[in-house]
Amino acid sequence: MSFEEKIDKARLPRHVAIIMDGNGRWALKQGKNRTFGHQNGVEAVRQTSEAAAELGIKYLTLYAFSTENWNRPKYEIDALMKLLVKTIDQETPTLNKNKISLSAIGNLKSLPEESYNRLMKAIEDTSGNDRMTLNLALSYSARWEITEAMKQISKEVKEGKTDPENIDQDLICKHLSTRNMPDPELLIRTSGEYRISNYLLWQIAYTELYFTKVLWPDFRKEDLYKAIVDYQCRERRFGKISEQLNKC
Ligand code: IPE
Ligand code: IPE
Ligand code: MG
């Protein structure tokens, strides 16, 4: 039985988040430069998005560039930004064909103007699609996002629009960039690193974490199916004890 056949379609995660890691090591292992790894990561994005949409997953959030990644060498940042624009342009027709809408979270205004404009255009051009949302985390970090939410809430308090007594988890969620989507049930990190690297810190409070040694450019549909099967074998207790869960 393949991993795909083992998936229970009735218990799919609605939202899967991925830390796409290992592009550089994948390239260096072959004696190539890091940019070659990023270029080859595009096929993994394509396959993963397609597999997720085919399964019926509603939201796929991919960590493409972190706030901290701005500290990388300039040539690598430039190559990544170029690749972003090229990929967005190339993939928009396929996204439309597969009825996938594109969205993005992060400090998007910090992207080069060209990348920002093309990204906004692709978001607009795919906005009518409702099969799945492909959400790119770009110039994103969770601490940046939470800080922005705090600033916004403080402003509303100052203007008398929000009573500090009414600040609760729900209000905070509404000020995060993921306000229109459920929290991810499953987070996958590739490349054998066991850390979160400033990703969705608020949203992953009860997310199931899945780590694989596969380097991102090698990640294929089968790897996504494997992660989902693993997720479906877990008992999500949310603080309760096993006997309290409504088992069917
Ligand atoms: C992930 O791969 C892609 C980005 C962070 C943009 P890396 O570039 O981090 O690859 P490794 O971790 O150095 O192998
Ligand atoms: C996390 O990967 C960010 C992205 C995948 C975009 P990094 O490779 O930047 O993370 P660290 O530096 O190893 O924690
Ligand atoms: Mg890395």
Side-chain angles (χ1 to χ4, degrees), residues 128-190:
N129 301 328
D130 60 1
R131 190 168 169 219
M132 186 183 84
T133 299
L134 173 61
N135 184 31
L136 297 180
L138 277 167
S139 190
Y140 172 90
S141 71
R143 288 185 175 184
W144 169 83
E145 177 185 44
I146 294 168
T147 307
E148 288 304 303
M150 294 308 121
K151 275 192 208 161
Q152 189 57 39
I153 293 171
S154 311
K155 204 164 151 255
E156 287 165 18
V157 168
K158 199 171 158 197
E159 290 167 355
K161 290 181 189 153
T162 298
D163 180 346
E165 283 307 312
N166 293 336
I167 298 175
D168 57 9
Q169 294 190 26
D170 197 40
L171 186 105
I172 295 173
C173 285
K174 286 192 177 116
H175 287 79
L176 297 176
S177 48
T178 50
R179 66 186 71 86
N180 296 321
M181 47 192 95
D183 288 341
E185 292 93 339
L186 171 64
L187 168 66
I188 300 170
R189 183 171 190 147
T190 59

Short mmCIF file of all heavy atoms in Angstrom, two decimals, residues 128-190:
data_model
loop_
_atom_site.label_atom_id
_atom_site.label_comp_id
_atom_site.label_asym_id
_atom_site.label_seq_id
_atom_site.Cartn_x
_atom_site.Cartn_y
_atom_site.Cartn_z
N GLY A 128 -9.34 34.57 -7.76
CA GLY A 128 -10.65 33.93 -7.94
C GLY A 128 -10.62 32.43 -7.68
O GLY A 128 -11.67 31.78 -7.70
N ASN A 129 -9.45 31.85 -7.43
CA ASN A 129 -9.35 30.39 -7.27
C ASN A 129 -9.66 29.97 -5.82
O ASN A 129 -9.19 30.60 -4.89
CB ASN A 129 -7.94 29.92 -7.64
CG ASN A 129 -7.59 30.29 -9.07
OD1 ASN A 129 -8.47 30.33 -9.93
ND2 ASN A 129 -6.32 30.57 -9.33
N ASP A 130 -10.43 28.89 -5.68
CA ASP A 130 -10.82 28.54 -4.31
C ASP A 130 -10.52 27.10 -3.90
O ASP A 130 -10.99 26.61 -2.89
CB ASP A 130 -12.31 28.85 -4.09
CG ASP A 130 -13.18 28.06 -5.05
OD1 ASP A 130 -12.63 27.27 -5.85
OD2 ASP A 130 -14.41 28.24 -5.01
N ARG A 131 -9.72 26.40 -4.72
CA ARG A 131 -9.43 25.01 -4.34
C ARG A 131 -8.44 24.95 -3.19
O ARG A 131 -8.60 24.20 -2.24
CB ARG A 131 -8.84 24.30 -5.57
CG ARG A 131 -8.71 22.80 -5.41
CD ARG A 131 -8.42 22.24 -6.77
NE ARG A 131 -8.01 20.86 -6.79
CZ ARG A 131 -7.05 20.41 -7.60
NH1 ARG A 131 -6.40 21.25 -8.39
NH2 ARG A 131 -6.75 19.15 -7.62
N MET A 132 -7.39 25.77 -3.27
CA MET A 132 -6.38 25.82 -2.19
C MET A 132 -5.71 27.19 -2.21
O MET A 132 -5.61 27.82 -3.26
CB MET A 132 -5.32 24.74 -2.40
CG MET A 132 -4.32 24.63 -1.25
SD MET A 132 -3.04 23.40 -1.56
CE MET A 132 -1.87 24.34 -2.52
N THR A 133 -5.26 27.63 -1.03
CA THR A 133 -4.45 28.86 -0.96
C THR A 133 -3.00 28.46 -0.76
O THR A 133 -2.68 27.74 0.19
CB THR A 133 -4.92 29.75 0.21
OG1 THR A 133 -6.28 30.12 -0.01
CG2 THR A 133 -4.07 31.01 0.32
N LEU A 134 -2.15 28.92 -1.66
CA LEU A 134 -0.71 28.73 -1.51
C LEU A 134 -0.16 30.03 -0.92
O LEU A 134 -0.16 31.07 -1.57
CB LEU A 134 -0.07 28.43 -2.87
CG LEU A 134 1.47 28.37 -2.89
CD1 LEU A 134 1.99 27.27 -1.98
CD2 LEU A 134 1.97 28.12 -4.31
N ASN A 135 0.27 29.94 0.32
CA ASN A 135 0.65 31.13 1.07
C ASN A 135 2.17 31.16 1.24
O ASN A 135 2.75 30.25 1.85
CB ASN A 135 -0.06 31.04 2.43
CG ASN A 135 0.13 32.24 3.29
OD1 ASN A 135 0.27 33.37 2.79
ND2 ASN A 135 0.16 32.03 4.60
N LEU A 136 2.82 32.18 0.69
CA LEU A 136 4.28 32.25 0.78
C LEU A 136 4.70 33.15 1.94
O LEU A 136 4.24 34.30 2.02
CB LEU A 136 4.87 32.82 -0.52
CG LEU A 136 4.65 32.01 -1.80
CD1 LEU A 136 5.31 32.73 -2.98
CD2 LEU A 136 5.22 30.60 -1.66
N ALA A 137 5.54 32.64 2.83
CA ALA A 137 6.09 33.47 3.89
C ALA A 137 7.37 34.08 3.35
O ALA A 137 8.37 33.39 3.13
CB ALA A 137 6.35 32.64 5.14
N LEU A 138 7.33 35.40 3.13
CA LEU A 138 8.43 36.10 2.45
C LEU A 138 8.87 37.29 3.27
O LEU A 138 8.03 38.14 3.62
CB LEU A 138 7.92 36.62 1.11
CG LEU A 138 7.91 35.63 -0.05
CD1 LEU A 138 7.10 36.20 -1.20
CD2 LEU A 138 9.31 35.31 -0.51
N SER A 139 10.13 37.37 3.57
CA SER A 139 10.63 38.39 4.48
C SER A 139 9.78 38.31 5.75
O SER A 139 9.31 39.30 6.30
CB SER A 139 10.54 39.78 3.85
OG SER A 139 11.22 40.70 4.65
N TYR A 140 9.57 37.07 6.16
CA TYR A 140 8.69 36.79 7.29
C TYR A 140 9.49 36.30 8.50
O TYR A 140 10.46 35.57 8.35
CB TYR A 140 7.68 35.69 6.90
CG TYR A 140 6.86 35.21 8.10
CD1 TYR A 140 5.66 35.82 8.42
CD2 TYR A 140 7.34 34.18 8.91
CE1 TYR A 140 4.95 35.42 9.54
CE2 TYR A 140 6.62 33.78 10.03
CZ TYR A 140 5.43 34.39 10.34
OH TYR A 140 4.72 34.00 11.45
N SER A 141 9.05 36.71 9.67
CA SER A 141 9.47 36.02 10.90
C SER A 141 8.34 36.21 11.89
O SER A 141 7.62 37.22 11.85
CB SER A 141 10.78 36.57 11.45
OG SER A 141 10.60 37.85 11.99
N ALA A 142 8.16 35.22 12.76
CA ALA A 142 7.04 35.26 13.71
C ALA A 142 7.19 36.43 14.68
O ALA A 142 6.21 37.08 15.03
CB ALA A 142 6.97 33.94 14.45
N ARG A 143 8.40 36.71 15.11
CA ARG A 143 8.57 37.82 16.06
C ARG A 143 8.24 39.16 15.40
O ARG A 143 7.70 40.05 16.03
CB ARG A 143 9.98 37.81 16.64
CG ARG A 143 10.15 36.67 17.62
CD ARG A 143 11.49 36.74 18.30
NE ARG A 143 11.59 35.71 19.32
CZ ARG A 143 12.62 35.58 20.13
NH1 ARG A 143 13.65 36.40 20.02
NH2 ARG A 143 12.64 34.63 21.03
N TRP A 144 8.57 39.28 14.11
CA TRP A 144 8.19 40.49 13.38
C TRP A 144 6.67 40.59 13.34
O TRP A 144 6.09 41.65 13.63
CB TRP A 144 8.77 40.45 11.95
CG TRP A 144 8.19 41.52 11.08
CD1 TRP A 144 8.60 42.82 11.00
CD2 TRP A 144 7.04 41.41 10.22
NE1 TRP A 144 7.78 43.52 10.14
CE2 TRP A 144 6.82 42.68 9.65
CE3 TRP A 144 6.19 40.35 9.88
CZ2 TRP A 144 5.78 42.92 8.75
CZ3 TRP A 144 5.15 40.59 8.98
CH2 TRP A 144 4.97 41.87 8.43
N GLU A 145 6.03 39.48 13.00
CA GLU A 145 4.57 39.46 12.87
C GLU A 145 3.88 39.80 14.19
O GLU A 145 2.94 40.60 14.23
CB GLU A 145 4.15 38.05 12.41
CG GLU A 145 2.66 37.87 12.31
CD GLU A 145 2.29 36.43 11.97
OE1 GLU A 145 2.88 35.49 12.56
OE2 GLU A 145 1.41 36.24 11.13
N ILE A 146 4.37 39.22 15.29
CA ILE A 146 3.75 39.47 16.60
C ILE A 146 3.99 40.92 17.02
O ILE A 146 3.09 41.57 17.56
CB ILE A 146 4.26 38.43 17.64
CG1 ILE A 146 3.76 37.02 17.25
CG2 ILE A 146 3.80 38.80 19.06
CD1 ILE A 146 4.41 35.87 18.01
N THR A 147 5.17 41.43 16.72
CA THR A 147 5.46 42.83 17.04
C THR A 147 4.50 43.76 16.29
O THR A 147 3.96 44.71 16.85
CB THR A 147 6.93 43.17 16.67
OG1 THR A 147 7.78 42.22 17.31
CG2 THR A 147 7.31 44.58 17.12
N GLU A 148 4.29 43.45 15.00
CA GLU A 148 3.36 44.27 14.19
C GLU A 148 1.95 44.22 14.78
O GLU A 148 1.26 45.24 14.85
CB GLU A 148 3.32 43.76 12.74
CG GLU A 148 4.56 44.06 11.93
CD GLU A 148 4.90 45.54 11.88
OE1 GLU A 148 4.05 46.33 11.45
OE2 GLU A 148 6.01 45.91 12.30
N ALA A 149 1.54 43.04 15.22
CA ALA A 149 0.19 42.89 15.82
C ALA A 149 0.10 43.73 17.09
O ALA A 149 -0.90 44.43 17.32
CB ALA A 149 -0.09 41.42 16.11
N MET A 150 1.16 43.69 17.91
CA MET A 150 1.17 44.47 19.15
C MET A 150 1.06 45.98 18.85
O MET A 150 0.34 46.69 19.52
CB MET A 150 2.46 44.21 19.96
CG MET A 150 2.60 42.81 20.50
SD MET A 150 1.17 42.29 21.43
CE MET A 150 0.67 40.85 20.54
N LYS A 151 1.80 46.42 17.84
CA LYS A 151 1.76 47.84 17.46
C LYS A 151 0.35 48.24 17.06
O LYS A 151 -0.17 49.28 17.46
CB LYS A 151 2.67 48.09 16.24
CG LYS A 151 4.12 48.32 16.59
CD LYS A 151 4.82 48.83 15.33
CE LYS A 151 6.27 48.45 15.34
NZ LYS A 151 6.91 48.49 14.03
N GLN A 152 -0.28 47.41 16.25
CA GLN A 152 -1.62 47.69 15.74
C GLN A 152 -2.64 47.74 16.89
O GLN A 152 -3.47 48.65 16.97
CB GLN A 152 -1.99 46.60 14.71
CG GLN A 152 -3.25 46.86 13.93
CD GLN A 152 -3.22 48.18 13.17
OE1 GLN A 152 -2.19 48.55 12.63
NE2 GLN A 152 -4.33 48.90 13.16
N ILE A 153 -2.53 46.77 17.79
CA ILE A 153 -3.48 46.73 18.92
C ILE A 153 -3.28 47.96 19.82
O ILE A 153 -4.24 48.60 20.25
CB ILE A 153 -3.35 45.40 19.71
CG1 ILE A 153 -3.80 44.22 18.82
CG2 ILE A 153 -4.16 45.43 21.00
CD1 ILE A 153 -3.51 42.83 19.40
N SER A 154 -2.02 48.30 20.07
CA SER A 154 -1.73 49.48 20.92
C SER A 154 -2.34 50.74 20.31
O SER A 154 -2.88 51.58 21.02
CB SER A 154 -0.23 49.71 21.06
OG SER A 154 0.40 48.54 21.39
N LYS A 155 -2.22 50.83 18.98
CA LYS A 155 -2.77 51.98 18.28
C LYS A 155 -4.30 52.05 18.48
O LYS A 155 -4.85 53.12 18.76
CB LYS A 155 -2.44 51.84 16.78
CG LYS A 155 -2.41 53.12 16.03
CD LYS A 155 -1.69 52.93 14.69
CE LYS A 155 -2.23 53.91 13.68
NZ LYS A 155 -3.12 53.32 12.69
N GLU A 156 -4.94 50.89 18.36
CA GLU A 156 -6.40 50.85 18.53
C GLU A 156 -6.81 51.20 19.96
O GLU A 156 -7.83 51.83 20.19
CB GLU A 156 -6.92 49.47 18.12
CG GLU A 156 -6.88 49.27 16.61
CD GLU A 156 -7.04 47.83 16.17
OE1 GLU A 156 -7.53 47.00 16.98
OE2 GLU A 156 -6.66 47.52 15.03
N VAL A 157 -5.98 50.79 20.91
CA VAL A 157 -6.26 51.12 22.32
C VAL A 157 -6.13 52.63 22.50
O VAL A 157 -7.00 53.29 23.07
CB VAL A 157 -5.30 50.35 23.27
CG1 VAL A 157 -5.38 50.91 24.69
CG2 VAL A 157 -5.62 48.86 23.27
N LYS A 158 -5.05 53.17 21.95
CA LYS A 158 -4.79 54.61 22.07
C LYS A 158 -5.92 55.44 21.46
O LYS A 158 -6.31 56.47 22.00
CB LYS A 158 -3.46 54.93 21.37
CG LYS A 158 -2.84 56.24 21.80
CD LYS A 158 -1.44 56.37 21.22
CE LYS A 158 -1.04 57.83 21.17
NZ LYS A 158 0.10 58.03 20.28
N GLU A 159 -6.44 54.95 20.36
CA GLU A 159 -7.52 55.68 19.68
C GLU A 159 -8.89 55.41 20.30
O GLU A 159 -9.91 55.88 19.81
CB GLU A 159 -7.55 55.28 18.19
CG GLU A 159 -6.36 55.81 17.41
CD GLU A 159 -6.22 55.16 16.03
OE1 GLU A 159 -6.99 54.23 15.70
OE2 GLU A 159 -5.31 55.58 15.29
N GLY A 160 -8.90 54.60 21.36
CA GLY A 160 -10.16 54.30 22.05
C GLY A 160 -11.03 53.28 21.33
O GLY A 160 -12.19 53.08 21.68
N LYS A 161 -10.47 52.59 20.32
CA LYS A 161 -11.27 51.61 19.56
C LYS A 161 -11.29 50.25 20.26
O LYS A 161 -12.16 49.42 20.01
CB LYS A 161 -10.69 51.44 18.16
CG LYS A 161 -10.89 52.65 17.26
CD LYS A 161 -10.32 52.38 15.88
CE LYS A 161 -10.31 53.64 15.04
NZ LYS A 161 -9.26 53.62 14.02
N THR A 162 -10.30 50.00 21.10
CA THR A 162 -10.22 48.71 21.80
C THR A 162 -10.02 48.96 23.29
O THR A 162 -9.16 49.77 23.67
CB THR A 162 -9.05 47.86 21.24
OG1 THR A 162 -9.30 47.60 19.87
CG2 THR A 162 -8.89 46.54 21.96
N ASP A 163 -10.80 48.26 24.09
CA ASP A 163 -10.63 48.32 25.54
C ASP A 163 -9.58 47.26 25.92
O ASP A 163 -9.74 46.09 25.54
CB ASP A 163 -11.99 47.99 26.19
CG ASP A 163 -11.93 48.01 27.70
OD1 ASP A 163 -10.82 48.01 28.26
OD2 ASP A 163 -13.01 48.00 28.32
N PRO A 164 -8.51 47.64 26.63
CA PRO A 164 -7.48 46.64 26.98
C PRO A 164 -8.07 45.40 27.65
O PRO A 164 -7.54 44.30 27.50
CB PRO A 164 -6.57 47.40 27.96
CG PRO A 164 -6.78 48.83 27.66
CD PRO A 164 -8.19 48.97 27.15
N GLU A 165 -9.19 45.56 28.33
CA GLU A 165 -9.85 44.41 28.98
C GLU A 165 -10.33 43.39 27.95
O GLU A 165 -10.53 42.22 28.27
CB GLU A 165 -11.06 44.88 29.80
CG GLU A 165 -10.70 45.52 31.14
CD GLU A 165 -9.82 44.62 31.99
OE1 GLU A 165 -10.14 43.43 32.13
OE2 GLU A 165 -8.78 45.10 32.49
N ASN A 166 -10.54 43.85 26.74
CA ASN A 166 -11.06 42.95 25.69
C ASN A 166 -9.97 42.30 24.85
O ASN A 166 -10.26 41.64 23.86
CB ASN A 166 -12.01 43.73 24.77
CG ASN A 166 -13.27 44.14 25.50
OD1 ASN A 166 -13.65 43.51 26.50
ND2 ASN A 166 -13.91 45.20 25.05
N ILE A 167 -8.72 42.53 25.22
CA ILE A 167 -7.65 41.87 24.45
C ILE A 167 -7.61 40.40 24.87
O ILE A 167 -7.39 40.09 26.04
CB ILE A 167 -6.27 42.54 24.69
CG1 ILE A 167 -6.31 44.00 24.21
CG2 ILE A 167 -5.16 41.77 23.98
CD1 ILE A 167 -5.05 44.79 24.50
N ASP A 168 -7.91 39.54 23.92
CA ASP A 168 -7.86 38.10 24.19
C ASP A 168 -7.17 37.39 23.01
O ASP A 168 -6.75 38.06 22.06
CB ASP A 168 -9.26 37.54 24.46
CG ASP A 168 -10.22 37.81 23.29
OD1 ASP A 168 -9.75 38.26 22.23
OD2 ASP A 168 -11.42 37.57 23.44
N GLN A 169 -7.10 36.08 23.07
CA GLN A 169 -6.40 35.32 22.02
C GLN A 169 -7.03 35.56 20.65
O GLN A 169 -6.33 35.67 19.64
CB GLN A 169 -6.45 33.83 22.35
CG GLN A 169 -5.67 33.51 23.59
CD GLN A 169 -5.50 32.01 23.80
OE1 GLN A 169 -5.53 31.24 22.84
NE2 GLN A 169 -5.30 31.62 25.03
N ASP A 170 -8.35 35.64 20.66
CA ASP A 170 -9.06 35.83 19.41
C ASP A 170 -8.68 37.16 18.75
O ASP A 170 -8.42 37.24 17.55
CB ASP A 170 -10.57 35.78 19.72
CG ASP A 170 -11.36 35.56 18.46
OD1 ASP A 170 -10.90 34.75 17.64
OD2 ASP A 170 -12.41 36.22 18.30
N LEU A 171 -8.60 38.20 19.57
CA LEU A 171 -8.24 39.52 19.05
C LEU A 171 -6.81 39.51 18.50
O LEU A 171 -6.51 40.08 17.45
CB LEU A 171 -8.39 40.59 20.14
CG LEU A 171 -8.16 42.00 19.61
CD1 LEU A 171 -9.49 42.75 19.47
CD2 LEU A 171 -7.22 42.80 20.47
N ILE A 172 -5.92 38.83 19.23
CA ILE A 172 -4.52 38.76 18.76
C ILE A 172 -4.48 38.03 17.40
O ILE A 172 -3.85 38.50 16.45
CB ILE A 172 -3.61 38.10 19.81
CG1 ILE A 172 -3.55 39.00 21.06
CG2 ILE A 172 -2.20 37.84 19.25
CD1 ILE A 172 -2.83 38.41 22.26
N CYS A 173 -5.19 36.90 17.32
CA CYS A 173 -5.23 36.14 16.05
C CYS A 173 -5.69 37.03 14.89
O CYS A 173 -5.16 36.94 13.78
CB CYS A 173 -6.21 34.97 16.13
SG CYS A 173 -5.58 33.61 17.10
N LYS A 174 -6.67 37.88 15.17
CA LYS A 174 -7.22 38.74 14.12
C LYS A 174 -6.22 39.80 13.65
O LYS A 174 -6.43 40.44 12.62
CB LYS A 174 -8.49 39.43 14.62
CG LYS A 174 -9.66 38.48 14.69
CD LYS A 174 -10.97 39.23 14.91
CE LYS A 174 -12.12 38.26 14.92
NZ LYS A 174 -12.82 38.19 16.19
N HIS A 175 -5.16 40.01 14.42
CA HIS A 175 -4.14 40.99 14.03
C HIS A 175 -2.89 40.35 13.45
O HIS A 175 -1.91 41.03 13.16
CB HIS A 175 -3.79 41.88 15.23
CG HIS A 175 -4.88 42.86 15.55
ND1 HIS A 175 -6.00 42.50 16.24
CD2 HIS A 175 -5.04 44.16 15.22
CE1 HIS A 175 -6.81 43.55 16.36
NE2 HIS A 175 -6.24 44.57 15.75
N LEU A 176 -2.91 39.03 13.30
CA LEU A 176 -1.77 38.34 12.68
C LEU A 176 -2.01 38.24 11.18
O LEU A 176 -3.15 38.34 10.71
CB LEU A 176 -1.60 36.94 13.29
CG LEU A 176 -1.28 36.89 14.79
CD1 LEU A 176 -1.25 35.45 15.28
CD2 LEU A 176 0.05 37.58 15.10
N SER A 177 -0.91 38.00 10.44
CA SER A 177 -1.07 37.97 8.98
C SER A 177 -1.80 36.71 8.52
O SER A 177 -2.20 36.62 7.37
CB SER A 177 0.30 38.07 8.31
OG SER A 177 1.19 37.17 8.90
N THR A 178 -1.99 35.75 9.42
CA THR A 178 -2.71 34.51 9.06
C THR A 178 -4.17 34.60 9.47
O THR A 178 -4.82 33.57 9.62
CB THR A 178 -2.05 33.31 9.78
OG1 THR A 178 -1.91 33.66 11.17
CG2 THR A 178 -0.70 32.97 9.21
N ARG A 179 -4.67 35.83 9.67
CA ARG A 179 -6.02 36.00 10.23
C ARG A 179 -7.11 35.29 9.43
O ARG A 179 -8.13 34.93 9.97
CB ARG A 179 -6.36 37.49 10.38
CG ARG A 179 -6.48 38.25 9.09
CD ARG A 179 -6.68 39.75 9.35
NE ARG A 179 -5.47 40.36 9.85
CZ ARG A 179 -4.48 40.84 9.07
NH1 ARG A 179 -4.57 40.74 7.75
NH2 ARG A 179 -3.41 41.38 9.59
N ASN A 180 -6.86 35.07 8.14
CA ASN A 180 -7.91 34.45 7.32
C ASN A 180 -7.78 32.94 7.20
O ASN A 180 -8.47 32.32 6.39
CB ASN A 180 -7.88 35.05 5.91
CG ASN A 180 -8.20 36.52 5.94
OD1 ASN A 180 -9.07 36.95 6.71
ND2 ASN A 180 -7.47 37.30 5.16
N MET A 181 -6.89 32.33 7.97
CA MET A 181 -6.71 30.88 7.83
C MET A 181 -6.64 30.19 9.18
O MET A 181 -6.29 30.83 10.18
CB MET A 181 -5.49 30.56 6.98
CG MET A 181 -4.23 31.30 7.32
SD MET A 181 -2.98 31.09 6.05
CE MET A 181 -3.25 32.54 5.05
N PRO A 182 -6.98 28.89 9.23
CA PRO A 182 -6.85 28.18 10.50
C PRO A 182 -5.38 27.96 10.84
O PRO A 182 -4.52 28.07 9.95
CB PRO A 182 -7.53 26.84 10.23
CG PRO A 182 -7.48 26.66 8.75
CD PRO A 182 -7.47 28.02 8.14
N ASP A 183 -5.08 27.68 12.11
CA ASP A 183 -3.70 27.35 12.47
C ASP A 183 -3.30 26.07 11.76
O ASP A 183 -4.13 25.19 11.55
CB ASP A 183 -3.60 27.12 13.99
CG ASP A 183 -3.74 28.41 14.77
OD1 ASP A 183 -3.56 29.49 14.18
OD2 ASP A 183 -4.02 28.33 15.98
N PRO A 184 -2.02 25.93 11.41
CA PRO A 184 -1.62 24.67 10.76
C PRO A 184 -1.74 23.49 11.74
O PRO A 184 -1.38 23.61 12.91
CB PRO A 184 -0.15 24.90 10.38
CG PRO A 184 0.29 26.14 11.05
CD PRO A 184 -0.91 26.87 11.55
N GLU A 185 -2.27 22.40 11.24
CA GLU A 185 -2.31 21.18 12.07
C GLU A 185 -0.98 20.44 11.96
O GLU A 185 -0.63 19.66 12.82
CB GLU A 185 -3.43 20.25 11.59
CG GLU A 185 -4.83 20.76 11.83
CD GLU A 185 -5.38 21.52 10.62
OE1 GLU A 185 -4.59 21.98 9.77
OE2 GLU A 185 -6.62 21.64 10.55
N LEU A 186 -0.28 20.66 10.84
CA LEU A 186 0.97 19.93 10.58
C LEU A 186 2.04 20.90 10.08
O LEU A 186 1.79 21.71 9.19
CB LEU A 186 0.70 18.85 9.51
CG LEU A 186 1.90 18.11 8.93
CD1 LEU A 186 2.63 17.29 10.01
CD2 LEU A 186 1.46 17.17 7.79
N LEU A 187 3.22 20.80 10.70
CA LEU A 187 4.39 21.57 10.25
C LEU A 187 5.50 20.60 9.86
O LEU A 187 5.88 19.74 10.65
CB LEU A 187 4.89 22.51 11.36
CG LEU A 187 6.26 23.16 11.12
CD1 LEU A 187 6.24 24.12 9.95
CD2 LEU A 187 6.73 23.91 12.36
N ILE A 188 5.99 20.75 8.65
CA ILE A 188 7.05 19.88 8.14
C ILE A 188 8.33 20.70 8.01
O ILE A 188 8.29 21.82 7.50
CB ILE A 188 6.67 19.33 6.74
CG1 ILE A 188 5.38 18.51 6.82
CG2 ILE A 188 7.82 18.50 6.15
CD1 ILE A 188 4.81 18.14 5.44
N ARG A 189 9.46 20.17 8.50
CA ARG A 189 10.74 20.80 8.19
C ARG A 189 11.65 19.78 7.52
O ARG A 189 11.84 18.68 8.04
CB ARG A 189 11.44 21.36 9.43
CG ARG A 189 12.76 22.07 9.02
CD ARG A 189 13.43 22.84 10.11
NE ARG A 189 14.51 23.64 9.54
CZ ARG A 189 14.90 24.82 9.97
NH1 ARG A 189 14.32 25.36 11.02
NH2 ARG A 189 15.89 25.47 9.39
N THR A 190 12.20 20.16 6.40
CA THR A 190 13.11 19.27 5.70
C THR A 190 14.56 19.52 6.14
O THR A 190 14.83 20.46 6.88
CB THR A 190 13.00 19.47 4.16
OG1 THR A 190 13.31 20.83 3.85
CG2 THR A 190 11.61 19.13 3.66
#
